[in-house]
Amino acid sequence: MKQSVQGSAEAGTPERRTTGGSRVPAQARRADTLDGCRERGDTAEPAARGEHTHGERPVPGPRPAVQRSSVRGQILDALRTALVTGELQPGEVYSAPVLGERFGVSATPVREAMQQLALEGAVEVVPNRGFRVVERGARELAELAEVRALIEVPVMLRLARTVPGERWAELRPLAEETVRAAADGCPATYAESDRAFHRALLALSGNEQLVGVAADLHRRSQWPPVRRGHAYLVADAAEHMALLDALIAGDVDVVRALVAEHFAGAS
C-alpha cells in the first residue's frame, strides 16, 4: 500500500522520510505527540526548561482556536482510500504497528483511525492481533442499496417538486466532477466525487441528520470495492448528469425513473 500522509507544514519545516518513501512533516509528528499527551491526562505542552508558572494568573479573554495538522484525520483518509482501492483486502488482518510503520507514524493514530472504521462497519477488532477488513457478500451490498433507496428516493422526489431549477443548476460542477473521475478510472477518486454529489443533492432538504445517515450508508456500500470496471463508472456518472438535467427541468417522472435505475445498479 503506497499511501502518503501530507501535513500543512510551513516552508522550511524539516521532514522525516517514511519506510515507503513518503514524508511526514515535523509539525504533523509534533501534533501526534501532543495528542498522545492529552490521552495520558496532560492538558498542555510541558513548560520549557527553567520556565516557572507558580502563581501566574490565567490570561483573560476568550480562548483562541488553535489548529494543528491532524495526523489521525490524514491516516483515516488514507485508510479509507486503501479500502476503496482494495489495497486493504477483505478478510485480512492488519495491525496498527505495521500500518504505522508503513505510514511513518506511531501506532496510536492508526489504531484510533481503525477504531473509527470499526464504528463505520468497515473493519472489525481482532483481539491481540489488530483489525480485520469486513467481507461483504452480494446480499449485504444489495441490502445497503435497498436501504439507501428507501431513504433517498422519497426525498429526491419531494425535492424535485419543491426546489427551483436554479438551485439544482448550482450542483452541475459536482456532477461534472464525477464524469471526470469516472474517465480517469480511479475508484477512490470516483467514490469520493460520487459521495459529494449525493450529499449535495440531499443537503437541499435542510435535514442534517438525513444527510449524515445517508452518507454513512453510502460509504459502507463502497467497501469492499466491487470490481465493476471503467464502463460502470462512466455509466454511473452519466446517470448523475441525466438526473441533474431532469431536476433542473422539473420533470418528476424522469427523476423517478432515473433514481430507481441508479439505485438498482448500485446493488
Side-chain angles (χ1 to χ4, degrees):
M1 177 175 54
K2 298 179 179 178
Q3 299 290 339
S4 60
V5 182
Q6 300 295 333
S8 58
E10 299 178 357
T13 302
E15 298 179 328
R16 171 167 60 84
R17 185 175 295 275
T18 69
T19 56
S22 59
R23 294 179 175 178
V24 179
Q27 179 184 351
R29 300 199 307 274
R30 181 173 177 272
D32 179 28
T33 302
L34 291 175
D35 287 341
C37 289
R38 293 191 192 91
E39 292 164 357
R40 292 193 299 271
D42 300 334
T43 58
E45 187 176 4
R49 181 172 299 177
E51 184 178 345
H52 301 284
T53 59
H54 302 297
E56 183 176 338
R57 293 184 177 181
V59 178
R63 178 178 298 178
V66 178
Q67 297 182 354
R68 296 185 179 92
S69 175
S70 172
V71 175
R72 284 172 293 182
Q74 294 174 68
I75 294 295
L76 180 58
D77 289 342
L79 289 172
R80 283 172 171 166
T81 297
L83 285 165
V84 173
T85 59
E87 293 177 73
L88 292 180
Q89 290 290 320
E92 293 293 322
V93 177
Y94 299 89
S95 71
V98 171
L99 288 174
E101 182 66 22
R102 298 180 73 172
F103 285 120
V105 298
S106 71
T108 298
V110 177
R111 187 174 295 110
E112 291 172 344
M114 279 295 202
Q115 289 169 346
Q116 175 61 37
L117 293 178
L119 292 175
E120 296 175 4
V123 302
E124 56 188 9
V125 178
V126 180
N128 302 319
R129 292 186 60 195
F131 301 85
R132 178 184 290 112
V133 178
V134 170
E135 296 182 271
R136 289 198 176 103
R139 177 176 178 176
E140 186 172 357
L141 291 173
E143 290 173 349
L144 284 168
E146 181 180 6
V147 176
R148 285 187 61 207
L150 289 172
I151 293 175
E152 295 192 38
V153 172
V155 175
M156 290 298 304
L157 294 178
R158 175 170 60 84
L159 294 177
R161 298 185 181 95
T162 58
V163 176
E166 57 268 22
R167 293 292 306 278
W168 294 116
E170 294 173 359
L171 306 184
R172 188 172 294 279
L174 291 175
E176 293 171 344
E177 180 59 33
T178 68
V179 173
R180 286 191 292 269
D184 291 340
C186 174
T189 302
Y190 184 77
E192 183 177 351
S193 63
D194 184 31
R195 290 195 307 274
F197 176 71
H198 280 264
R199 185 168 56 248
L201 291 178
L202 295 177
L204 292 178
S205 70
N207 189 328
E208 295 182 1
Q209 298 301 316
L210 180 145
V211 173
V213 170
D216 179 65
L217 289 169
H218 196 168
R219 190 184 296 279
R220 287 171 184 253
S221 70
Q222 295 173 330
W223 298 334
V226 179
R227 302 303 182 186
R228 288 167 169 153
H230 180 262
Y232 170 82
L233 298 183
V234 171
D236 196 63
E239 290 178 4
H240 291 162
M241 294 297 295
L243 174 60
L244 191 59
D245 288 340
L247 289 167
I248 293 172
D251 194 330
V252 178
D253 291 335
V254 174
V255 170
R256 181 182 292 105
L258 286 172
V259 292
E261 181 181 355
H262 194 67
F263 284 105
S267 61

